[in-house]
mmCIF file of all heavy atoms in Angstrom:
data_model
loop_
_atom_site.group_PDB
_atom_site.id
_atom_site.type_symbol
_atom_site.label_atom_id
_atom_site.label_comp_id
_atom_site.label_asym_id
_atom_site.label_seq_id
_atom_site.Cartn_x
_atom_site.Cartn_y
_atom_site.Cartn_z
ATOM 1 N N GLU A 142 14.393 0.397 -7.597
ATOM 2 C CA GLU A 142 15.401 -0.287 -8.409
ATOM 3 C C GLU A 142 16.702 -0.473 -7.623
ATOM 4 O O GLU A 142 17.360 -1.510 -7.736
ATOM 5 C CB GLU A 142 15.667 0.497 -9.691
ATOM 6 C CG GLU A 142 14.526 0.454 -10.696
ATOM 7 C CD GLU A 142 14.289 -0.939 -11.262
ATOM 8 O OE1 GLU A 142 15.132 -1.837 -11.056
ATOM 9 O OE2 GLU A 142 13.233 -1.148 -11.901
ATOM 10 N N GLN A 143 17.074 0.517 -6.821
ATOM 11 C CA GLN A 143 18.261 0.381 -5.972
ATOM 12 C C GLN A 143 18.072 -0.761 -4.974
ATOM 13 O O GLN A 143 19.000 -1.541 -4.715
ATOM 14 C CB GLN A 143 18.519 1.682 -5.223
ATOM 15 C CG GLN A 143 19.007 2.832 -6.079
ATOM 16 C CD GLN A 143 19.093 4.138 -5.308
ATOM 17 O OE1 GLN A 143 19.285 4.141 -4.090
ATOM 18 N NE2 GLN A 143 18.936 5.246 -6.002
ATOM 19 N N GLY A 144 16.880 -0.837 -4.423
ATOM 20 C CA GLY A 144 16.587 -1.907 -3.471
ATOM 21 C C GLY A 144 16.638 -3.276 -4.121
ATOM 22 O O GLY A 144 17.107 -4.251 -3.515
ATOM 23 N N LYS A 145 16.199 -3.372 -5.360
ATOM 24 C CA LYS A 145 16.256 -4.631 -6.091
ATOM 25 C C LYS A 145 17.711 -5.015 -6.370
ATOM 26 O O LYS A 145 18.105 -6.170 -6.195
ATOM 27 C CB LYS A 145 15.464 -4.507 -7.394
ATOM 28 C CG LYS A 145 13.962 -4.442 -7.189
ATOM 29 C CD LYS A 145 13.224 -3.968 -8.434
ATOM 30 C CE LYS A 145 13.349 -4.934 -9.584
ATOM 31 N NZ LYS A 145 12.516 -4.493 -10.752
ATOM 32 N N SER A 146 18.507 -4.038 -6.766
ATOM 33 C CA SER A 146 19.918 -4.306 -7.065
ATOM 34 C C SER A 146 20.684 -4.735 -5.821
ATOM 35 O O SER A 146 21.607 -5.557 -5.896
ATOM 36 C CB SER A 146 20.576 -3.052 -7.653
ATOM 37 O OG SER A 146 19.985 -2.701 -8.878
ATOM 38 N N GLY A 147 20.277 -4.192 -4.667
ATOM 39 C CA GLY A 147 20.967 -4.521 -3.420
ATOM 40 C C GLY A 147 20.426 -5.740 -2.709
ATOM 41 O O GLY A 147 20.915 -6.105 -1.632
ATOM 42 N N GLY A 148 19.416 -6.371 -3.289
ATOM 43 C CA GLY A 148 18.857 -7.581 -2.692
ATOM 44 C C GLY A 148 17.874 -7.333 -1.564
ATOM 45 O O GLY A 148 17.454 -8.278 -0.888
ATOM 46 N N GLU A 149 17.486 -6.081 -1.358
ATOM 47 C CA GLU A 149 16.563 -5.753 -0.272
ATOM 48 C C GLU A 149 15.102 -5.840 -0.709
ATOM 49 O O GLU A 149 14.217 -6.128 0.085
ATOM 50 C CB GLU A 149 16.865 -4.344 0.240
ATOM 51 C CG GLU A 149 16.131 -3.983 1.519
ATOM 52 C CD GLU A 149 16.502 -2.606 2.025
ATOM 53 O OE1 GLU A 149 16.863 -1.730 1.195
ATOM 54 O OE2 GLU A 149 16.436 -2.390 3.234
ATOM 55 N N ILE A 150 14.870 -5.587 -2.001
ATOM 56 C CA ILE A 150 13.526 -5.632 -2.566
ATOM 57 C C ILE A 150 13.460 -6.744 -3.607
ATOM 58 O O ILE A 150 14.420 -6.957 -4.371
ATOM 59 C CB ILE A 150 13.162 -4.265 -3.189
ATOM 60 C CG1 ILE A 150 13.037 -3.206 -2.081
ATOM 61 C CG2 ILE A 150 11.867 -4.345 -3.985
ATOM 62 C CD1 ILE A 150 12.786 -1.795 -2.586
ATOM 63 N N ASN A 151 12.368 -7.437 -3.619
ATOM 64 C CA ASN A 151 12.163 -8.560 -4.534
ATOM 65 C C ASN A 151 12.439 -8.131 -5.979
ATOM 66 O O ASN A 151 11.870 -7.157 -6.464
ATOM 67 C CB ASN A 151 10.715 -9.054 -4.397
ATOM 68 C CG ASN A 151 10.474 -10.364 -5.111
ATOM 69 O OD1 ASN A 151 10.939 -10.575 -6.222
ATOM 70 N ND2 ASN A 151 9.729 -11.246 -4.463
ATOM 71 N N VAL A 152 13.301 -8.866 -6.656
ATOM 72 C CA VAL A 152 13.705 -8.506 -8.017
ATOM 73 C C VAL A 152 12.549 -8.593 -9.010
ATOM 74 O O VAL A 152 12.625 -8.027 -10.112
ATOM 75 C CB VAL A 152 14.871 -9.397 -8.516
ATOM 76 C CG1 VAL A 152 16.119 -9.133 -7.688
ATOM 77 C CG2 VAL A 152 14.492 -10.868 -8.503
ATOM 78 N N HIS A 153 11.482 -9.309 -8.655
ATOM 79 C CA HIS A 153 10.346 -9.461 -9.560
ATOM 80 C C HIS A 153 9.343 -8.311 -9.434
ATOM 81 O O HIS A 153 8.371 -8.251 -10.199
ATOM 82 C CB HIS A 153 9.641 -10.790 -9.292
ATOM 83 C CG HIS A 153 10.533 -11.987 -9.496
ATOM 84 N ND1 HIS A 153 11.052 -12.319 -10.722
ATOM 85 C CD2 HIS A 153 11.005 -12.907 -8.612
ATOM 86 C CE1 HIS A 153 11.801 -13.400 -10.604
ATOM 87 N NE2 HIS A 153 11.799 -13.778 -9.334
ATOM 88 N N ILE A 154 9.577 -7.411 -8.488
ATOM 89 C CA ILE A 154 8.675 -6.280 -8.312
ATOM 90 C C ILE A 154 8.824 -5.323 -9.489
ATOM 91 O O ILE A 154 9.936 -4.953 -9.868
ATOM 92 C CB ILE A 154 8.978 -5.530 -6.992
ATOM 93 C CG1 ILE A 154 8.632 -6.412 -5.786
ATOM 94 C CG2 ILE A 154 8.227 -4.203 -6.925
ATOM 95 C CD1 ILE A 154 7.156 -6.735 -5.651
ATOM 96 N N HIS A 155 7.698 -4.908 -10.063
ATOM 97 C CA HIS A 155 7.706 -3.924 -11.136
ATOM 98 C C HIS A 155 7.771 -2.546 -10.485
ATOM 99 O O HIS A 155 6.845 -2.120 -9.801
ATOM 100 C CB HIS A 155 6.440 -4.064 -11.995
ATOM 101 C CG HIS A 155 6.448 -3.231 -13.228
ATOM 102 N ND1 HIS A 155 5.944 -1.949 -13.276
ATOM 103 C CD2 HIS A 155 6.915 -3.497 -14.485
ATOM 104 C CE1 HIS A 155 6.079 -1.458 -14.485
ATOM 105 N NE2 HIS A 155 6.672 -2.379 -15.237
ATOM 106 N N ALA A 156 8.896 -1.862 -10.687
ATOM 107 C CA ALA A 156 9.174 -0.626 -9.952
ATOM 108 C C ALA A 156 8.125 0.456 -10.199
ATOM 109 O O ALA A 156 7.697 1.138 -9.260
ATOM 110 C CB ALA A 156 10.558 -0.099 -10.314
ATOM 111 N N GLU A 157 7.699 0.628 -11.441
ATOM 112 C CA GLU A 157 6.723 1.684 -11.741
ATOM 113 C C GLU A 157 5.387 1.397 -11.075
ATOM 114 O O GLU A 157 4.736 2.297 -10.538
ATOM 115 C CB GLU A 157 6.547 1.816 -13.258
ATOM 116 C CG GLU A 157 5.620 2.963 -13.643
ATOM 117 C CD GLU A 157 5.541 3.160 -15.152
ATOM 118 O OE1 GLU A 157 6.328 2.531 -15.887
ATOM 119 O OE2 GLU A 157 4.694 3.961 -15.577
ATOM 120 N N THR A 158 4.988 0.128 -11.094
ATOM 121 C CA THR A 158 3.725 -0.248 -10.448
ATOM 122 C C THR A 158 3.802 -0.047 -8.941
ATOM 123 O O THR A 158 2.862 0.461 -8.314
ATOM 124 C CB THR A 158 3.382 -1.715 -10.761
ATOM 125 O OG1 THR A 158 3.302 -1.885 -12.182
ATOM 126 C CG2 THR A 158 2.066 -2.122 -10.124
ATOM 127 N N ALA A 159 4.925 -0.433 -8.354
ATOM 128 C CA ALA A 159 5.095 -0.265 -6.913
ATOM 129 C C ALA A 159 5.083 1.212 -6.525
ATOM 130 O O ALA A 159 4.525 1.598 -5.493
ATOM 131 C CB ALA A 159 6.397 -0.917 -6.459
ATOM 132 N N ALA A 160 5.683 2.069 -7.358
ATOM 133 C CA ALA A 160 5.682 3.506 -7.103
ATOM 134 C C ALA A 160 4.265 4.068 -7.175
ATOM 135 O O ALA A 160 3.860 4.898 -6.351
ATOM 136 C CB ALA A 160 6.586 4.220 -8.103
ATOM 137 N N THR A 161 3.515 3.603 -8.166
ATOM 138 C CA THR A 161 2.117 4.038 -8.292
ATOM 139 C C THR A 161 1.309 3.608 -7.079
ATOM 140 O O THR A 161 0.495 4.372 -6.546
ATOM 141 C CB THR A 161 1.489 3.448 -9.569
ATOM 142 O OG1 THR A 161 2.219 3.917 -10.708
ATOM 143 C CG2 THR A 161 0.029 3.846 -9.704
ATOM 144 N N LEU A 162 1.536 2.379 -6.613
ATOM 145 C CA LEU A 162 0.829 1.869 -5.439
ATOM 146 C C LEU A 162 1.186 2.682 -4.193
ATOM 147 O O LEU A 162 0.313 3.008 -3.387
ATOM 148 C CB LEU A 162 1.178 0.396 -5.228
ATOM 149 C CG LEU A 162 0.526 -0.294 -4.018
ATOM 150 C CD1 LEU A 162 -0.996 -0.255 -4.124
ATOM 151 C CD2 LEU A 162 1.020 -1.733 -3.900
ATOM 152 N N PHE A 163 2.447 3.008 -4.034
ATOM 153 C CA PHE A 163 2.929 3.799 -2.901
ATOM 154 C C PHE A 163 2.142 5.107 -2.803
ATOM 155 O O PHE A 163 1.589 5.456 -1.748
ATOM 156 C CB PHE A 163 4.417 4.076 -3.102
ATOM 157 C CG PHE A 163 5.100 4.854 -2.011
ATOM 158 C CD1 PHE A 163 5.938 4.218 -1.108
ATOM 159 C CD2 PHE A 163 4.953 6.234 -1.908
ATOM 160 C CE1 PHE A 163 6.610 4.937 -0.115
ATOM 161 C CE2 PHE A 163 5.614 6.963 -0.935
ATOM 162 C CZ PHE A 163 6.436 6.312 -0.027
ATOM 163 N N ILE A 164 2.071 5.831 -3.913
ATOM 164 C CA ILE A 164 1.345 7.106 -3.926
ATOM 165 C C ILE A 164 -0.151 6.880 -3.746
ATOM 166 O O ILE A 164 -0.832 7.626 -3.029
ATOM 167 C CB ILE A 164 1.633 7.864 -5.236
ATOM 168 C CG1 ILE A 164 3.106 8.286 -5.271
ATOM 169 C CG2 ILE A 164 0.724 9.090 -5.370
ATOM 170 C CD1 ILE A 164 3.543 8.912 -6.578
ATOM 171 N N GLY A 165 -0.663 5.827 -4.371
ATOM 172 C CA GLY A 165 -2.090 5.528 -4.248
ATOM 173 C C GLY A 165 -2.501 5.202 -2.822
ATOM 174 O O GLY A 165 -3.605 5.559 -2.385
ATOM 175 N N ILE A 166 -1.633 4.527 -2.097
ATOM 176 C CA ILE A 166 -1.925 4.216 -0.696
ATOM 177 C C ILE A 166 -2.046 5.493 0.125
ATOM 178 O O ILE A 166 -2.968 5.648 0.934
ATOM 179 C CB ILE A 166 -0.835 3.294 -0.104
ATOM 180 C CG1 ILE A 166 -0.910 1.900 -0.729
ATOM 181 C CG2 ILE A 166 -1.000 3.192 1.417
ATOM 182 C CD1 ILE A 166 0.268 1.019 -0.365
ATOM 183 N N ILE A 167 -1.117 6.416 -0.096
ATOM 184 C CA ILE A 167 -1.188 7.686 0.631
ATOM 185 C C ILE A 167 -2.465 8.433 0.265
ATOM 186 O O ILE A 167 -3.165 8.966 1.137
ATOM 187 C CB ILE A 167 0.051 8.550 0.344
ATOM 188 C CG1 ILE A 167 1.300 7.885 0.917
ATOM 189 C CG2 ILE A 167 -0.117 9.956 0.941
ATOM 190 C CD1 ILE A 167 2.605 8.597 0.596
ATOM 191 N N GLN A 168 -2.794 8.452 -1.022
ATOM 192 C CA GLN A 168 -4.017 9.126 -1.442
ATOM 193 C C GLN A 168 -5.250 8.489 -0.800
ATOM 194 O O GLN A 168 -6.182 9.190 -0.398
ATOM 195 C CB GLN A 168 -4.132 9.079 -2.971
ATOM 196 C CG GLN A 168 -3.100 9.951 -3.678
ATOM 197 C CD GLN A 168 -3.090 9.756 -5.180
ATOM 198 O OE1 GLN A 168 -3.497 8.698 -5.687
ATOM 199 N NE2 GLN A 168 -2.635 10.757 -5.905
ATOM 200 N N GLY A 169 -5.237 7.165 -0.693
ATOM 201 C CA GLY A 169 -6.357 6.478 -0.043
ATOM 202 C C GLY A 169 -6.469 6.825 1.430
ATOM 203 O O GLY A 169 -7.572 7.047 1.952
ATOM 204 N N LEU A 170 -5.335 6.878 2.104
ATOM 205 C CA LEU A 170 -5.334 7.264 3.516
ATOM 206 C C LEU A 170 -5.861 8.688 3.691
ATOM 207 O O LEU A 170 -6.641 8.964 4.614
ATOM 208 C CB LEU A 170 -3.922 7.170 4.082
ATOM 209 C CG LEU A 170 -3.388 5.789 4.430
ATOM 210 C CD1 LEU A 170 -1.898 5.870 4.766
ATOM 211 C CD2 LEU A 170 -4.156 5.200 5.612
ATOM 212 N N VAL A 171 -5.418 9.564 2.808
ATOM 213 C CA VAL A 171 -5.865 10.958 2.872
ATOM 214 C C VAL A 171 -7.374 11.040 2.668
ATOM 215 O O VAL A 171 -8.084 11.716 3.419
ATOM 216 C CB VAL A 171 -5.134 11.810 1.813
ATOM 217 C CG1 VAL A 171 -5.767 13.196 1.729
ATOM 218 C CG2 VAL A 171 -3.660 11.928 2.142
ATOM 219 N N MET A 172 -7.866 10.335 1.643
ATOM 220 C CA MET A 172 -9.299 10.375 1.350
ATOM 221 C C MET A 172 -10.123 9.854 2.519
ATOM 222 O O MET A 172 -11.140 10.455 2.898
ATOM 223 C CB MET A 172 -9.580 9.543 0.101
ATOM 224 C CG MET A 172 -11.006 9.671 -0.404
ATOM 225 S SD MET A 172 -11.400 11.338 -0.978
ATOM 226 C CE MET A 172 -10.412 11.415 -2.473
ATOM 227 N N GLN A 173 -9.684 8.753 3.117
ATOM 228 C CA GLN A 173 -10.433 8.196 4.247
ATOM 229 C C GLN A 173 -10.418 9.132 5.449
ATOM 230 O O GLN A 173 -11.429 9.288 6.137
ATOM 231 C CB GLN A 173 -9.843 6.845 4.640
ATOM 232 C CG GLN A 173 -10.115 5.747 3.633
ATOM 233 C CD GLN A 173 -9.593 4.401 4.089
ATOM 234 O OE1 GLN A 173 -9.935 3.922 5.163
ATOM 235 N NE2 GLN A 173 -8.740 3.791 3.288
ATOM 236 N N SER A 174 -9.282 9.771 5.681
ATOM 237 C CA SER A 174 -9.208 10.693 6.819
ATOM 238 C C SER A 174 -10.090 11.912 6.586
ATOM 239 O O SER A 174 -10.713 12.427 7.516
ATOM 240 C CB SER A 174 -7.760 11.120 7.070
ATOM 241 O OG SER A 174 -7.270 11.939 6.037
#
Side-chain angles (χ1 to χ4, degrees):
E142 289 294 348
Q143 289 173 28
K145 289 165 65 175
S146 297
E149 190 178 29
I150 293 176
N151 190 318
V152 294
H153 300 295
I154 293 295
H155 188 269
E157 184 175 351
T158 302
T161 299
L162 179 60
F163 182 105
I164 293 174
I166 291 170
I167 294 175
Q168 290 172 336
L170 282 171
V171 171
M172 188 65 70
Q173 289 184 56
S174 69

